Amino acid sequence: MTQTRDFWSRRKAAVEAEAEAEVIAAEERAIAAQHAELEEKSDAEILAEFNLPDPDQLQAGDDVSGFMAKAVPDRLRRRALRRLWRLNPVLANVDGLVDYGEDYTDAACVIENIPTAYQVGKGMLAHIEALAAEAEEPLSEDKPEATDTELGPELDENPVPQPVLVAEAEEPEEVDLPPAPRRMKFEFEG
């Protein structure tokens, strides 16, 4: 019995969602058609049609909510918002706490003649090649070969075992642990 109610409630919700989607689609088509008509008109004609002031002549405290209607073209909405942002000191002045607010391309911040191993077009390749050449360079006759004592104890043929100190372990104390929770089995009828 509950499954039947669930089906019909889901079906009713789906029908309502389809009706809402059709209404929204019809509104969007109407707005698109209206925007197409408004694209042919000049800004002055559009402002007169919607009884809106010139966005470039807005003053502090003027209401810009009329420009936010869906029927108003984006170009007029943007002009009004730009004017609003210029007039309002809260919106016009950045607080300075933003990480991306600085101009990192400013040439005045560049330090002249920074020594670096980087080469344009090659990167750090020359530095890496020099290190690799030093590592591959065979021992020359000028340098004496290293002896076993210079190589360290790791390379001795007969290493002497070192004694290992073992601390006597105490017997662990018994700890009272709460009982483990039982696993409950759920059986679903499907």
Side-chain angles (χ1 to χ4, degrees):
M1 201 67 181
T2 59
Q3 292 177 351
T4 310
R5 272 190 254 145
D6 288 342
F7 170 78
W8 287 112
S9 62
R10 285 192 312 256
R11 178 67 184 139
K12 183 179 178 181
V15 169
E16 289 175 359
E18 289 175 7
E20 289 177 13
E22 288 177 10
V23 169
I24 291 172
E27 288 177 1
E28 289 177 356
R29 284 192 299 268
I31 291 172
Q34 188 177 16
H35 277 287
E37 291 175 11
L38 292 176
E39 290 295 324
E40 298 171 1
K41 296 181 181 179
S42 68
D43 290 348
E45 293 172 346
I46 296 170
L47 292 172
E49 182 179 333
F50 290 109
N51 295 326
L52 295 172
D54 183 20
D56 296 327
Q57 302 301 323
L58 291 173
Q59 298 298 322
D62 287 347
D63 186 26
V64 294
S65 61
F67 290 97
M68 300 302 128
K70 290 183 178 180
V72 177
D74 287 337
R75 65 180 188 268
L76 289 175
R77 183 177 304 121
R78 287 188 186 129
R79 281 177 51 195
L81 288 174
R82 282 189 194 120
R83 182 67 180 165
L84 173 69
W85 290 329
R86 286 188 201 122
L87 291 175
N88 192 340
V90 173
L91 300 174
N93 298 322
V94 179
D95 61 1
L97 298 176
V98 292
D99 294 334
Y100 52 84
E102 295 183 29
D103 183 12
Y104 293 104
T105 61
D106 188 10
C109 296
V110 176
I111 300 171
E112 295 288 329
N113 301 324
I114 296 176
T116 179
Y118 178 80
Q119 294 179 353
V120 177
K122 294 183 181 178
M124 301 292 285
L125 185 62
H127 178 69
I128 294 171
E129 287 175 349
L131 290 174
E134 287 178 12
E136 291 177 1
E137 185 176 292
L139 293 175
S140 65
E141 294 177 8
D142 298 338
K143 297 180 185 176
E145 288 191 26
T147 61
D148 288 343
T149 56
E150 292 173 354
L151 294 176
E154 300 87 34
L155 300 177
D156 284 342
E157 291 180 16
N158 297 321
V160 178
Q162 299 293 326
V164 177
L165 297 176
V166 178
E168 291 190 25
E170 297 179 11
E171 295 214 12
E173 296 179 17
E174 289 189 25
V175 179
D176 291 331
L177 297 175
R182 293 184 183 175
R183 299 182 114 197
M184 298 181 75
K185 292 184 180 180
F186 294 100
E187 294 184 16
F188 296 102
E189 294 180 14

